Amino acid sequence: GAVVSQHPSWVICKSGTSVKIECRSLDFQATTMFWYRQFPKQSLMLMATSNEGSKATYEQGVEKDKFLINHASLTLSTLTVTSAHPEDSSFYICSARDGTGGEETQYFGPGTRLLVL
Amino acid sequence: GEDVEQSLFLSVREGDSSVINCTYTDSSSTYLYWYKQEPGAGLQLLTYIFSNMDMKQDQRLTVLLNKKDKHLSLRIADTQTGDSAIYFCAGYSGGYQKVTFGTGTKLQVIP
């Protein structure tokens, strides 16, 4: 089946630095990718919808200048957490939509755990 | 890691009840979630249940959890055409500290 990968799986960084997380669809082209954030022991929160070749659509309350999303190709979307602070520590999950074959399926990446010191 | 499985498709008539089923493998899952994905949109949380609960009701939604069988279900009463969507169950494992999603069940509501 389709696979979505994320890199890195774990990242620890100092406060004030920027961190880039990659989301790749490995065997299909994803015109749309989604970025989610999960706080400890809570459910996922949709952060933004990323469409290939256009600007991401951010959910209310998500700072677009803080969480930069780039979807430059049909297989890669990146999330950059700029000037990270400890409150940005979280689990970030991407998903990619496969719309080929007439049926739409969404596949989830394994997630990236970010710890900001 | 955990496996979460769902049936792929369910079709019901408007006004009937829908029951979407999910099985999981990790008995240490502490939270179990149901998400809804409408066409063209991302996931939205519908409801969740703690692993120490058997049932949770929220308006038209009823979640049943059978921990012994590792089975989770979502019942939608009086299903409406607006309920047509893909429904994902997911489990949060404190041990792995991650959320694992099922494959999604596409619910089709026939007027």
Side-chain angles (χ1 to χ4, degrees), chain A residues 81-95:
Chain A
V81 183
T82 62
S83 187
H85 287 93
E87 58 267 28
D88 298 325
S89 297
S90 192
F91 192 59
Y92 293 88
I93 297 176
C94 73
S95 69

Side-chain angles (χ1 to χ4, degrees), chain B:
Chain B
E2 167 147 47
D3 284 331
V4 180
E5 294 187 358
Q6 299 176 239
S7 53
L8 292 180
F9 188 77
L10 176 66
S11 180
V12 299
R13 293 204 173 274
E14 189 174 18
D16 289 348
S17 292
S18 308
V19 179
I20 303 171
N21 295 302
C22 172
T23 58
Y24 60 98
T25 58
D26 186 356
S27 59
S28 69
S29 292
T30 50
Y31 293 75
L32 294 142
Y33 307 99
W34 282 103
Y35 291 87
K36 178 182 181 181
Q37 186 196 19
E38 296 181 345
L43 292 185
Q44 296 293 339
L45 178 67
L46 279 180
T47 186
Y48 66 92
I49 190 169
F50 295 109
S51 60
N52 62 356
M53 297 169 65
D54 297 323
M55 185 184 84
K56 180 178 180 180
Q57 187 155 0
D58 184 0
Q59 299 181 337
R60 291 192 297 125
L61 305 178
T62 302
V63 179
L64 294 178
L65 175 61
N66 182 328
K67 285 195 71 177
K68 176 175 173 289
D69 296 336
K70 300 191 186 70
H71 182 265
L72 181 74
S73 67
L74 173 69
R75 179 176 180 270
I76 305 172
D78 188 24
T79 312
Q80 302 297 308
T81 54
D83 295 324
S84 293
I86 301 175
Y87 291 81
F88 292 87
C89 68
Y92 171 75
S93 168
Y96 296 109
Q97 294 192 349
K98 64 177 294 184
V99 176
T100 302
F101 284 84
T103 49
T105 299
K106 185 172 184 177
L107 174 64
Q108 180 186 50
V109 182
I110 303 168

